[in-house]
Amino acid sequence: GAGVSQSPSNKVTEKGKDVELRCDPISGHTALYWYRQSLGQGLEFLIYFQGNSAPDKSGLPSDRFSAERTGGSVSTLTIQRTQQEDSAVYLCASSQGGGVHREQYFGPGTRLTVT
Amino acid sequence: AQKITQTQPGMFVQEKEAVTLDCTYDTSDPSYGLFWYKQPSSGEMIFLIYQGSYDQQNATEGRYSLNFQKARKSANLVISASQLGDSAMYFCAMRDAYSGAGSYQLTFGKGTKLSVIP
């Protein structure tokens, strides 16, 4: 079956521009996560969606970051007024519900470069 | 306090030999899950193996096994019969009830870069 897909795979943008990153989770997975991977910070949690519940936004680094999930499936992560420190690989993952024992399956990531 | 510790930034192993990648964790929650992921140079995070805190047996998946020592809070990954394709970054991760506001997000270690030598 299809895995988690993300687009674009690479994005180069100028400082100050807005960007949108897309994630399409595995069909039937109700939980969706966004993580960020950078050289200095390792892998960091950003935001979590579970069904129709309010998202857990506790990992978003600033109010320039936002995300939505439409129809319980596709998610879009938006970064406004990008800064150079936003350069990183943005990874999306999905799982069959929450809970500590569910493995998460990751997409290939979007490499964002802010110039 | 760091929840996941991987003390080996880099490891080398001869092809066909076994290798152990270390991982220690810290949690006060009796219910937690431990996961290992592989990240090759292509960048994708590949799920390898899972161990639940209440599991009595060590997890195994093909050439991967997890040496789970609960009292020591240790969850080392053992790769048997290493192959050139095993060269990658390996991340240990954990989920517990304190992982976010009900989100149970993964907390990752800093990773170990494994290089398999022909």
Side-chain angles (χ1 to χ4, degrees), chain A residues 63-76:
Chain A
D63 58 8
R64 295 186 296 105
F65 288 72
S66 63
E68 63 177 19
R69 188 178 185 191
T70 54
S73 182
V74 171
S75 177
T76 302

Side-chain angles (χ1 to χ4, degrees), chain A residues 8-113:
Chain A
S9 55
N10 280 284
K11 177 72 176 178
V12 180
T13 190
E14 294 180 353
K15 178 182 173 181
K17 300 283 191 182
D18 298 353
V19 295
E20 283 190 353
L21 313 180
R22 176 189 167 104
C23 172
D24 204 339
I26 293 172
S27 177
H29 281 192
T30 58
L32 186 148
Y33 300 78
W34 283 96
Y35 294 87
R36 179 170 70 173
Q37 185 175 26
S38 56
L39 280 175
Q41 300 297 321
L43 278 146
E44 306 171 277
F45 164 76
L46 295 177
I47 189 169
Y48 159 77
F49 296 91
Q50 169 62 38
N52 295 321
S53 303
D56 174 6
K57 304 179 183 180
S58 60
L60 294 179
S62 78
D63 58 8
R64 295 186 296 105
F65 288 72
S66 63
E68 63 177 19
R69 188 178 185 191
T70 54
S73 182
V74 171
S75 177
T76 302
L77 177 69
T78 302
I79 309 173
Q80 295 178 312
R81 305 181 302 281
T82 52
Q83 304 294 313
Q84 288 185 329
E85 61 262 27
D86 299 334
S87 294
V89 176
Y90 290 81
L91 293 164
C92 175
S94 69
S95 68
Q96 283 185 327
V100 301
H101 304 293
R102 298 281 192 185
E103 61 267 25
Q104 295 178 21
Y105 294 93
F106 284 78
T110 294
R111 181 175 297 277
L112 175 66
T113 304

Side-chain angles (χ1 to χ4, degrees), chain B residues 1 43-44 78 83:
Chain B
E44 188 162 357
V78 180
Q83 302 172 354

